[in-house]
Amino acid sequence: MDHSASSAPTPSTAQGGAPDRAVAVEADPWEVQDAQGYAGDVSPQLAYQWWQAGHALVIDIRSDAEREWVGFVPGALALAWKQWPGMAINPAFDEVLQAALPSGIKALMLCRSGVRSIAAARRACELGIEAYNILEGFEGDCDTRGQRGALGGWRHCGLPWKQN
């Protein structure tokens, strides 16, 4: 299944037509938000724009199982930050990241919800890489039913993704 980029994203709505809840990115989606220990937080839209312009590389830090079952971003570097089972930090993370990222290219860290990717962005910055966290991650926040996919995130924004 291929989900290509489409028109501008809209917030998800509850049954009554009102927004279910505010999307995590309330600031201008085209601005970088300040962060501690890494270059900053960016919206999925800004991350995609930088990536398409050749200024950055999307690094999907989710586990292989997450990418396989939930979906993935075609062309992104698949590099788990933590490995299943046990969710131990990937011992090859530093080496693979440094080898895969051309000099002067930003790293855009993507996880499920935009939380694990903060730690990966911090580690990349410790390695001398200009690294950003993609807010909301691939699936976004949980909605009122405790489900992901309807509130923010790469998929919800209509950006390219595939599912096996």
Side-chain angles (χ1 to χ4, degrees), residues 105-117:
I105 298 296
K106 299 172 178 74
L108 301 167
M109 302 299 181
L110 178 73
C111 70
R112 179 185 66 176
S113 62
V115 175
R116 274 178 291 168
S117 48

Side-chain angles (χ1 to χ4, degrees), residues 16-139:
D20 193 20
R21 77 176 187 82
V23 176
V25 178
E26 292 182 13
D28 181 348
W30 305 107
E31 290 183 2
V32 175
Q33 295 181 22
D34 290 337
Q36 276 194 332
Y38 57 103
D41 294 307
V42 296
S43 68
Q45 299 94 324
L46 181 56
Y48 183 71
Q49 180 184 39
W50 284 356
W51 185 33
Q52 291 306 292
H55 302 299
L57 177 62
V58 173
I59 316 292
D60 190 335
I61 64 132
R62 295 174 299 149
S63 69
D64 294 339
E66 287 175 287
R67 287 188 302 276
E68 182 66 26
W69 295 333
V70 179
F72 60 94
V73 177
L77 173 63
L79 177 60
W81 169 243
K82 293 186 174 182
Q83 296 177 313
W84 183 263
M87 300 308 280
I89 292 179
N90 179 356
F93 183 84
D94 294 359
E95 181 181 345
V96 173
L97 180 63
Q98 289 173 315
L101 201 64
S103 179
I105 298 296
K106 299 172 178 74
L108 301 167
M109 302 299 181
L110 178 73
C111 70
R112 179 185 66 176
S113 62
V115 175
R116 274 178 291 168
S117 48
I118 291 172
R122 285 183 176 141
R123 178 61 191 148
C125 282
E126 289 171 0
L127 297 171
I129 296 168
E130 184 180 353
Y132 296 82
N133 170 51
I134 300 176
L135 291 166
E136 304 166 1
F138 185 76
E139 295 183 74

